[in-house]
Amino acid sequence: MAAAGGKTYSFKVVLLGEGCVGKTSLVLRYCENKFNDKHITTLQASFLTKKLNITGKRVNLAIWDTAGQERFHALGPIYYRDSNGAILVYDVTDEDSFQKVKNWVKELRKMLGNEICLCIVGNKIDLDKERHVSVEEAEGYAESVGAKHYHTSAKLNKGIEELFLDLCKRMMETAQVEERSRGNGASNTSTGRRGVQIVDDEPQTAIPAGGCCTSA
Amino acid sequence: MSQRSERRGIHVDQSELLCKKGCGYYGNAAWQGLCSKCWREEYQRARQRQIQEDWALAEKLQREEEAAYVSSHSSSQTQPPQSHSQPSLATFSKFEEKKTNEKTRKVTTVKKFFSPSSRTAPKKESHEGKTPSPSITRQSSIETDRASQDFLEFLKTLQKPGREIQKQSRAFIDSMGNKKDLGAEELSECVQDFYQGMSDRLLNHYKGSSEKVDRVMDQVEKYIMTRLYKSVFCPETSDDEKKDLATQRRIRALHWVTIQMLCVPVDEEIPEVSDSVVKAITDVIEMDSKRVPRDKLAFITSCSKHIFNAIRVTKNEPASADDFLPTLIYIVLKANPPRLQSNIQYITRFCNPSRLMTGEDGYYFTNLCCAVAFIEKLDAHSLNLSPEDFERYMSGQASPQRQDDPAAWLQSGSRFNPALSQIHQNLSVLSNLEKRQQQVIEGAQSLQTELAEWQDSVAHEVQEIMERYPLEIKSRASAIDAENVENDRLPPPLQPQVFAG
């Protein structure tokens, strides 16, 4: 899951949202900087990775696209298991897609608690004239559930870099908090599965003050 | 005094409290009056004896079964005769258990012979297929030997840590040999702990870079899982096999699901697409033939790549998850991969978690899990059908294609099924042939009648002519030259002249 010795972080981010809200365009714009381009070279846009360097720390981002059709909704838990962040996309011209996002938020909070960083993204702001979800409503809702809200346009390449950069920073913070609470030592390379078990065994006193990973 | 009376009250004497063996320690009723130490000794001995007996029995059973298998090919029905000679009632339940174990093992092997994997991976299965019954000899197969060799070769490049890795892996495999009775989850726990311990050690003790550690861990996984495969894949302690069969049946019952119902964005009319579809199906089936979790994952990834190619060719844009998942579901339905649940469980339990959680392989594996979950829970709603239609299709009373008249069915069928279109084509070719044959036969018949007529007419004509010109025979002259009137004018025949010499 997260972090190897404070040097490289690996994060899993799931993309959730109804079909046709532009999840794929969003991620293709971010990773390939292309939109509806005939020259897109990748074979697929469902699993993409991006390497980042944030404040001197390397981050490997794995972006998991999910099938947005209603009939696959029940499969959500299989996708977002062990993910560090979720990007919930809706179409600003489509009230229904915003309702779907609300459902996702409820489900994610129920299943994963506060460990997961949520981003609510209103896409297609280039179609602002046809907007059906008001800015106030969306931002108010995001705040009420502890998520951040972003406005993006994959077509105009607006707000996407900020979205992912912000999310990465937040996930790093969460990971660091988790490391600190877990205890800082040989075990911080462990995967989630093992990490959970270690929590009980490891004495809290083992934390060296201001260790390599504790500096935020 | 008071103590004594108390003791007397519950009728327990000091001597009764002591260990029956007389070692001086207190005994316990739960250990049949022995102290903990003596009980352990006693129990261990009894247990050892029991295990040995069971082993002997199991081996005997196995030999008998093998003999039975060789003599008659109807293997599983033959009841081993010594089922009458049970050693004692006490071991009866154990015996029964062993027997069922033997049976289930046999079922898996019999299944293995007929599973599609034996067709798709002839190289490996044929070597397995040579041994007629599940015997221990199979464990040391060519494949495990090769894996060990590769592993040793690889470790040589690592020098000192390599030796330690090898020692630990060997020790781990040996220790796993004693844990056969554990449940699948505990086995998984053991293996995962081993991975964890090993990679921690490599990272911290030998200060390896994370990429290097990953590479080493891949090799470790390959080595130990090739060795352990037989004992931990679809273990008898789990109900994996039952789930396999349930899924297989389920997929078979769903044979009528079409590309349209799943909204799969591939057009199999395009040759390249249908080619990719076939390759994807082959890959997902072939996954079963591999032993190492990572190799299995590699096949899932390759299957996914073929799917992406099919989508890309059809839609001319990179595939999103919205396209990919339905197509994967369609491929799984078409392929009905053998032992699908066992394979998924095996990968989940024994794959190096770092691969499974975030890597690309992990993504495709997760999608496969989703596809299976979808297939299991699939209902009328998820295919956009009415519940009545769904029921009818499931029960086999109706087939979605046959609602219209046969001609339309054939036509529509050929559109989304290359096999159907092939059949259609063959049928028309056949009917064409039949027509031509009919013509040939008719031609032959008319020729025959013509011939007969001709013969008749010839005979008739001959007859007519014969009647018209009756045969007259003139009286003949006696000499050959009689008719020759100018015979006298002919010169005399040449006489041979004799020259005097």
Side-chain angles (χ1 to χ4, degrees), chain A residues 162-202:
Chain A
E162 293 89 320
L163 157 69
F164 280 98
L165 196 66
D166 237 30
L167 175 63
C168 282
K169 283 183 183 158
R170 278 166 62 208
M171 288 192 296
M172 280 167 75
E173 275 166 32
T174 313
Q176 280 159 0
V177 168
E178 199 184 313
E179 261 164 45
R180 242 169 296 169
S181 72
R182 191 197 293 162
N184 194 355
S187 64
N188 64 0
T189 51
S190 45
T191 57
R193 173 198 175 98
R194 194 75 171 108
V196 176
Q197 294 169 343
I198 286 172
V199 177
D200 302 323
D201 307 338
E202 217 148 282

Side-chain angles (χ1 to χ4, degrees), chain A residues 25-40:
Chain A
S25 303
L26 205 70
V27 69
L28 270 179
R29 173 61 95 180
Y30 180 60
C31 295
E32 301 263 308
N33 196 16
K34 280 175 181 157
F35 179 79
N36 268 357
D37 197 327
K38 286 273 173 276
H39 306 292
I40 294 174

Side-chain angles (χ1 to χ4, degrees), chain A residues 11-12 19-20 23-24 28 38 40-47 62 64-69 71-72 75 78-79 82 186 189-191 193-194 197, chain B residues 188-189 192-193 196 200 203-204 261-263 305 308-309 312 318-322 325-326 329 357-360 362-364 366-367 370 373-374 382:
Chain A
F11 292 127
K12 169 180 162 184
C20 311
K23 290 183 305 240
T24 314
L28 270 179
K38 286 273 173 276
I40 294 174
T41 48
T42 55
L43 189 57
Q44 45 93 11
S46 50
F47 177 88
W64 291 37
D65 193 9
T66 63
Q69 295 95 321
R71 55 174 147 171
F72 298 131
L75 304 173
I78 308 178
Y79 279 117
D82 299 316
T189 51
S190 45
T191 57
R193 173 198 175 98
R194 194 75 171 108
Q197 294 169 343
Chain B
S188 156
E189 201 72 25
Q192 296 292 351
D193 282 354
Q196 189 62 50
D200 278 358
L203 266 178
N204 299 312
M261 291 176 190
L262 287 168
C263 307
K305 292 273 152 82
F308 287 133
N309 192 44
R312 163 123 217 175
S320 68
D322 290 355
L325 185 61
I329 291 168
M357 300 278 201
T358 46
E360 190 172 3
Y363 178 74
Y364 301 134
T366 304
N367 271 291
C370 283
F374 181 80
S382 42

Side-chain angles (χ1 to χ4, degrees), chain B residues 148-165:
Chain B
S148 311
Q149 251 172 33
D150 289 352
F151 188 54
L152 288 178
E153 285 292 313
F154 172 75
L155 291 178
K156 267 184 202 153
T157 62
L158 296 178
Q159 289 142 6
K160 189 165 164 278
R163 242 170 295 147
E164 161 140 6
I165 293 167

Side-chain angles (χ1 to χ4, degrees), chain B residues 316-328:
Chain B
N316 203 17
E317 61 181 38
S320 68
D322 290 355
D323 302 326
F324 174 59
L325 185 61
T327 317
L328 183 64

